[in-house]
Amino acid sequence: EGFSSVKLFLSLYRFQACVYFASVFQSMSCGIHYLASVFMAVTPNFVCGFPGNVSSVLFHNSSASSIEDIWTLWTSTENYIVVQLENGEIWELDQCSRSKREVSLDLAYEYTGNKSVFPCADGFLYDDTKWKSTVVTQWDLVCDREWLAKLIQPMFMLGVLIGAVIFGDIADRLGRQRVIWFTSAGQFVFGIAVAFTFDYYSFVIVRFLLAMVSSGYLVVAFVYVTEFVGIKARTWASMHVHAFFAMGIMVVALVGFLVRTWWVYQIFLSIATLPFVLCCWMLPETPFWLLSEDRYEDAQKVIDTMARWNKVSTPCKVSELCSVQQDDLASGQMGDNDTSSTKKHNILDLFCNWQIARRTITVWLIWFTGSLGYYVFSLSSVSLGGNEYLNLFLIGAVELPCYIIACIAMDKLGRRNTLIPFLILSALICVLIMFIPQDFNILIILANMAGKFCIGVAFGLIYLYTAELYPTIVRSLAVGSGSMMCRVGSVVAPFCVYLRSVWIFMPLLLVGIMALLSGILTIMLPETLGKPLTNTLVEATEMGRKKKSCSEKTPPAHSGAALEKIEMFGQETVNTDK
């Protein structure tokens, strides 16, 4: 049924298909910038610089004429290099300090005499065998400045959080089209600007702005494609926006493998989606937003254009849509007082009683865990051993089938019955990885791919499940607050990855605990598959307690019959099956 829905979408809705693929193509850029730092902010092997010209280098029992020949032998940060300068001085070079031997007789690795310790006043020497330049080597973000390097990804994710809030609100006020234009151009402009920043602080500021527009585009793109795609293909279309994001991660791995200078790498990543930036101005505003703003003539023009592309001879008229909408609103006024649009709702309504409060806490935990696990598996992939570029590529590629499985399972087994096993399975995989010997690189990579697959299913599913768990009057609030918890998880994820320095399995342990707890609490959530959307908090509270009668009223929403007519473009019957 899912694949047939997609085929129906592509065959009947040519206009929507073009708009959809154009919009989600730019989502790759979001995936690119979200994960770009995994290679751009790499810290290679390094030691203190020395004051003078070197004549010989000694590392354990190996000698060389230059330090570049020693890096292949470097195995631990606890190692040090002994160098003899042309003036006869012998220095021991550690990572964050250097020592001058008082007695410079024979060049030997072990020395028990007196030494004078000095700071790294002459800078640092970096291993450039893999990366010619990174932001760490550019601005010496090591030793006492290491914390600045560790702030790069969290600051980006903070920009993601703020951008989602700001541009989501702007899109409701000024329209989806304008935000799509601005954020698309912003990703290109700020992406290129990052490559030409002159110091660390300007780099972080420009990346923060880049994060805001990237997040803004991703949030608005979900709304944009949802408002253009018909009911039958909506689940598949919205889920596979994530798939294009994953393709962006794969692009990062490919460009990282080919380009080893960070600013050139950033430029290549930024121009990857340039074709969309050049043509995004052709994307139309959604009829839904135009109708909400009473711009009926503009809405009619878009509808007529859609009808011509889709070869519909009798496109629906705005006047007919308005009459249907007015009928819906009139019938809604005869319903319960709880549905009154004059009542304002806030975050406290998500905790109005114990049932709804428990549901909200569980849903927030799933959003947080999904985002935390997603970015922990993604960011940690380059540290698994083996080829880090291939690791990241596979971590991105494994998402493509996971969203197909999620779409099929959620329609066949149900939302809750899909969410529970994948959350618990991801927790078990985290535990399993801890028992795999570190020499089994391939097995570790496969297990991490499996963990990313499971958490990806849960992460993709929670969007729709949240919307179905809450009534009309607080549905947007519930999804918005859940999205905020998701952003909090993405901010915490980089710090969680840094805990590998405390214990290599600490990030996996934290993700496993959160996933297991989320999976257990999900058991108490009601199943929403095949059930009508609720309209009031009372109905939402009763969901799962007893079966609904067929005569139960459904909410008179602006997205009802009038909007269904837009989606079907003048067809004789309007199919409202969910």
Side-chain angles (χ1 to χ4, degrees), residues 2 17 25 84 120 124 141 152 154 160 222 246 251 256 264 277 294 296 303 313 347 356 444 455 492 516 545 557:
F25 177 76
Q84 187 172 33
C120 300
F124 299 88
L141 305 180
I152 290 176
V160 167
F222 269 105
V251 171
V264 180
V277 178
D294 297 332
Y296 301 118
I303 293 172
S313 57
I347 197 74
I356 297 297
I444 291 175
I455 210 72
V492 173
L516 181 61
R545 287 184 176 179

Side-chain angles (χ1 to χ4, degrees), residues 1 21 58 100 154 299 366-367 393 416 458 462 471 502 514:
E1 181 182 352
F21 285 110
L58 186 63
K100 178 183 176 183
I366 297 171
W367 277 92
F393 185 89
R416 182 187 64 181
I462 192 59
V502 178
M514 298 297 291

